[in-house]
Amino acid sequence: MTEKFKKISDTFFTVLGGILVGGGIIFLVFIENPVRYFFYTVLLVAATNFKNFRNFKIDFKKAARGFLITTAVIYLSLITVLSVSPFLKIMEFKWSHSDWKPVNAQTIQPFTSWDTGYKRKGNSFVNIDYEYQFSGTTYKNSESEALYQYYPFWNRETSQDLVKEFSKSVSEKIQKRDYLILTNPDQPEKSKLFLSTDLLYFQGSLFYDAVTGFAALILIFLAIIGAVFMWPRKRRK
């Protein structure tokens, strides 16, 4: 009976783990990031490990595991670098959309807000409505979540104050024209707006949220350890 229960339990957690991993992959590859980032990674790994493909005939499981691990590491590194560098993200987009042309905004209207949804907890973000001209015709478009900003757990400002501060920084970027709009000449109604051209914008990345969250865990762990060691000393006194 115990052995049967263990078998069922192992199967359940294996399936659950597979679902969670699969869901995470789908979220990162198809929802949170452009699919082409994943294709870049696969092509890079395949090109750099071309000679190792013969290992698939020798030990398929080991070779496949190594290929998947390498792909995962490079993919996570790629999306992390692009998430913290608006400049590199623009360069990648220009490279992958080489025929798209820059245009000037006729009007640009930001709408800042606070997000506590499933994708990002506790961050400011901005949606942009804008108009531009191409070949004498005016087009309207919008860029959802054109820019966002995360905050460390120790930040005690209210969400209203944080959004207000973020809105001010967005307005300054627009006034300084620190943004870029690209449009498809063949379909000028299609366009892409980048609200920041900074080389680094660490606080606008999910990586920032992960790092500050990890820092919080470390501080909590150190506090617990400190309390454990200090408690006996206080009792002796």
Side-chain angles (χ1 to χ4, degrees), residues 48 73 88 91 117:
T48 55
V73 170
L88 291 180
M91 292 298 101

Side-chain angles (χ1 to χ4, degrees), residues 183-195:
T183 187
N184 185 349
D186 298 326
Q187 296 175 294
E189 70 278 3
K190 292 185 177 181
S191 61
K192 175 71 175 177
L193 181 144
F194 297 91
L195 189 55

Side-chain angles (χ1 to χ4, degrees), residues 192-206:
K192 175 71 175 177
L193 181 144
F194 297 91
L195 189 55
S196 176
T197 60
D198 296 336
L199 179 61
L200 290 174
Y201 181 49
F202 188 47
Q203 202 168 350
S205 168
L206 272 173

Side-chain angles (χ1 to χ4, degrees), residues 56-89:
F56 279 88
K57 294 182 179 180
I58 301 172
D59 191 338
F60 179 81
K61 287 186 177 180
K62 183 178 180 180
R65 189 184 302 112
F67 183 84
L68 291 175
I69 291 174
T70 303
T71 300
V73 170
I74 293 179
Y75 179 73
L76 291 174
S77 300
L78 175 64
I79 62 176
T80 298
V81 170
L82 291 177
S83 72
V84 301
S85 177
F87 173 78
L88 291 180
K89 186 175 287 188

